């Protein structure tokens, strides 16, 4: 007689192996995704990557324009749920960004952040159901320029979160401003936007120049690096950041070590050789994750141990640690984007089945401010603009208060470390 327990044991062994493999794959997936873990308490020198999964962007600190540490308490952030007793007429918040095209994935954090705030508000306030209308810019200024008529044609729209890029903002801004509609962009970083004289534009992040000033001061004054090399690529993504960093390092700028790489190139041996010769305390790279990955790999292969820093948000991308591999470990990324709290990340995963992407926190905050305005009785575009001009409060990503030209009163950046 053959015991019937043998096939059962075999099945159990197979199930155990399947569970083990699934667990390994899950850990590997999280490592590749490069999620952001909120651990900032205003202490920049605390090592925050201990215990974090490899490839994780761990927030170290928020920094002021002078490079000093700015303590940020996410527990003080405005909650989109409000009191739970709000009542309001039919009111709409609009969102503008890529719903189609190659930039859709990159902009998903912005879109989902707004959606999460509106959903949380409506679930908590049955007497105030705010609608969300989405408008597809396709990631291009040309398409964005065609959208204001549709947005402004809906009288229930009292505010817009967006657009996503500076190019889209330039295209949409004149019409939105003329109509008196608040357009609060969580991710447009061009310093030139405020030169347009718009009265209803509010930037929910900082400019590339703001980031450069804060990063340079943080390196030279807070971290006390004595010699820093600055590398930028030959594209618009680096046109403001790299020169600003170099110009604000003061005596910490390494002589003869402001370098340029060609976007899309793979061989940086010339730049690496120069950096190795200079032997700086740190190397700051301004550009995209592709060049940042290649550069840090080649620096480490050449036994260059200088601290590697990079920015802006185009480097805050899970593909940076994924493509750079172990060479990216302990790299610092300066970003105009803020981190996600554990509570927000859990809600985001539950609703969208993925980790928050870059610029998910700012649109959540900006939508929450609009929702608070609606809860307080704001029903017109003019009243929403007045509310934003007078607003001062904390969000998940940063504190929000605006000057007359729509810039943040306190232009603070974030520093992340790659685990």
């Amino acid at each position: 007689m053959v015991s019937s327990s043998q096939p059962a044991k075999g099945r159990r062994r197979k199930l155990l192996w399947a569970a083990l493999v699934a667990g390994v794959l899950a850990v590997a997936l999280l490592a590749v995704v490069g999620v952001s873990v909120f651990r900032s308490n205003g202490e920049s020198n605390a090592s925050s990557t201990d215990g974090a999964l490899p490839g994780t962007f761990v927030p170290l600190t928020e920094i002021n324009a002078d490079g000093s540490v700015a303590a940020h308490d996410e527990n003080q952030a405005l909650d989109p749920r409000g009191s739970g007793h709000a009542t309001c007429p039919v009111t709409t918040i609009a969102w503008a960004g890529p719903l189609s095209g190659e930039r859709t994935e990159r902009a998903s954090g912005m879109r989902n952040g707004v959606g999460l705030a509106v959903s949380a508000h409506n679930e908590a306030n049955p007497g105030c159901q705010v609608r969300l209308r989405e408008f597809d810019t396709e990631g291009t200024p040309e398409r964005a320029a065609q959208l204001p008529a549709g947005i402004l044609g809906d009288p229930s729209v009292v505010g817009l979160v967006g657009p996503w890029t500076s190019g889209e903002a330039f295209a949409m801004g004149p019409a939105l401003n003329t109509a008196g509609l608040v357009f609060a962009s969580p991710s447009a970083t061009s310093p030139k936007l405020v030169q347009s004289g718009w009265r209803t534009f509010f930037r929910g992040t900082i400019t590339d120049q703001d980031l450069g000033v804060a990063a340079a001061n943080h390196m030279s004054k807070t971290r006390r690096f004595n010699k820093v090399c600055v590398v930028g690529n030959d594209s618009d993504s680096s046109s403001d950041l790299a020169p600003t960093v170099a110009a604000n390092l003061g005596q910490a700028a390494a002589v003869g070590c402001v370098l340029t790489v060609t976007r899309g190139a793979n061989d940086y041996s010339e730049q690496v050789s120069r950096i190795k010769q200079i032997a700086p305390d740190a190397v700051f790279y301004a550009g995209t994750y592709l060049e940042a990955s290649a550069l840090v790999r080649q620096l480490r292969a050449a036994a260059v141990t200088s601290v590697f820093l990079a920015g802006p948000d185009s480097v805050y991308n899970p593909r940076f640690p994924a493509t750079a591999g172990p060479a990216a470990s302990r790299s610092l990324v300066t970003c105009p984007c803020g981190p996600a709290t554990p509570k927000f990340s859990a809600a985001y995963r539950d609703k969208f089945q993925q980790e928050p992407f870059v610029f998910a926190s700012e649109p959540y905050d900006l939508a929450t401010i609009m929702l608070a305005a609606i809860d307080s009785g704001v029903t017109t575009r003019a009243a929403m603009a007045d509310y934003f001009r007078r607003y001062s409060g904390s969000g998940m990503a940063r504190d929000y208060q605006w000057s007359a030209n729509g810039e943040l009163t306190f232009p603070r950046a974030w520093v992340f470390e790659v685990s």
Side-chain angles (χ1 to χ4, degrees), residues 1-15:
M1 179 183 288
V2 178
S3 172
S4 60
S5 65
Q6 294 303 316
K9 290 180 180 178
R11 285 194 298 270
R12 284 196 294 270
R13 282 196 295 269
K14 290 180 180 179
L15 288 172

Side-chain angles (χ1 to χ4, degrees), residues 185-199:
S185 176
S187 51
T189 59
S190 171
K192 298 177 182 178
L193 281 170
V194 296
Q195 297 174 10
S196 303
W198 297 329
R199 291 281 296 155

Side-chain angles (χ1 to χ4, degrees), residues 127-388:
C128 183
Q129 295 296 291
V130 177
R131 297 188 304 183
L132 174 61
R133 289 193 63 187
E134 298 179 331
F135 294 84
D136 185 9
T137 65
E138 299 177 4
T140 69
E142 293 76 18
R143 175 56 183 161
Q146 301 172 18
L147 298 179
I151 297 169
L152 299 172
D154 182 348
S156 72
V157 175
V158 295
L160 168 74
V161 179
W164 182 54
T165 67
S166 297
E168 294 170 0
F170 279 119
M172 299 177 69
L176 299 177
N177 181 70
T178 299
L181 181 70
V182 166
F183 56 114
S185 176
S187 51
T189 59
S190 171
K192 298 177 182 178
L193 281 170
V194 296
Q195 297 174 10
S196 303
W198 297 329
R199 291 281 296 155
T200 60
F201 171 70
F202 297 87
R203 197 195 304 268
T205 183
I206 61 174
T207 70
D208 296 327
Q209 288 182 354
D210 290 333
L211 179 63
V213 170
N217 287 330
H218 187 65
M219 287 187 285
S220 62
K221 298 177 181 179
T222 302
R223 292 186 175 269
R224 300 187 182 279
F225 294 144
N226 294 315
K227 193 163 47 174
V228 180
C229 286
V230 178
V231 185
N233 70 20
D234 57 354
S235 69
D236 291 341
S237 63
S238 167
S239 61
D240 285 315
L241 183 54
T244 302
V245 171
N248 284 275
L249 280 170
Q251 294 182 346
V255 176
C257 204
V258 177
L259 311 173
T260 302
V261 299
T262 301
R263 185 174 184 180
N266 295 314
D267 183 5
Y268 301 139
S269 56
E270 180 181 345
Q271 291 84 358
V272 170
S273 177
R274 180 61 177 162
I275 292 169
K276 187 170 185 176
Q277 180 185 6
I278 295 290
D281 300 316
V283 176
F284 185 91
Y285 174 74
T288 72
Y289 79 88
L290 285 170
E291 294 85 33
S293 301
L295 181 59
V296 73
R297 280 200 315 270
Q298 292 174 40
L299 286 170
R300 299 304 182 232
V304 175
T305 59
S306 309
V307 176
F308 186 79
L309 302 94
D313 50 282
S314 50
V315 182
Y316 186 88
N317 188 316
R319 293 185 178 90
F320 169 55
T323 54
S329 178
R330 303 295 182 180
S331 293
L332 302 179
V333 176
T334 59
C335 192
C337 58
T341 63
K343 182 178 178 181
F344 173 83
S345 296
Y348 193 103
R349 285 192 298 269
D350 183 62
K351 187 173 181 63
F352 303 110
Q353 289 75 56
Q354 60 183 4
E355 296 293 337
F357 215 64
V358 66
F359 285 122
S361 302
E362 286 82 358
Y364 179 87
D365 287 342
L366 294 173
T368 297
I369 295 172
M370 291 185 184
L371 292 164
I374 294 168
D375 288 354
S376 73
V378 166
T379 59
T380 67
R381 294 168 182 175
M384 181 65 76
D386 287 340
Y387 189 92
F388 263 71

Side-chain angles (χ1 to χ4, degrees), residues 81-121:
R81 295 174 298 179
S83 67
H85 304 294
T87 59
C88 65
V90 175
T91 311
T92 303
I93 292 175
W95 173 83
L99 290 173
S100 59
E102 61 181 17
R103 295 183 173 182
T104 304
E105 179 188 21
R106 184 72 175 162
S108 63
M110 175 182 163
R111 177 194 185 191
N112 294 342
V114 175
L116 197 60
V118 173
S119 294
H121 173 272

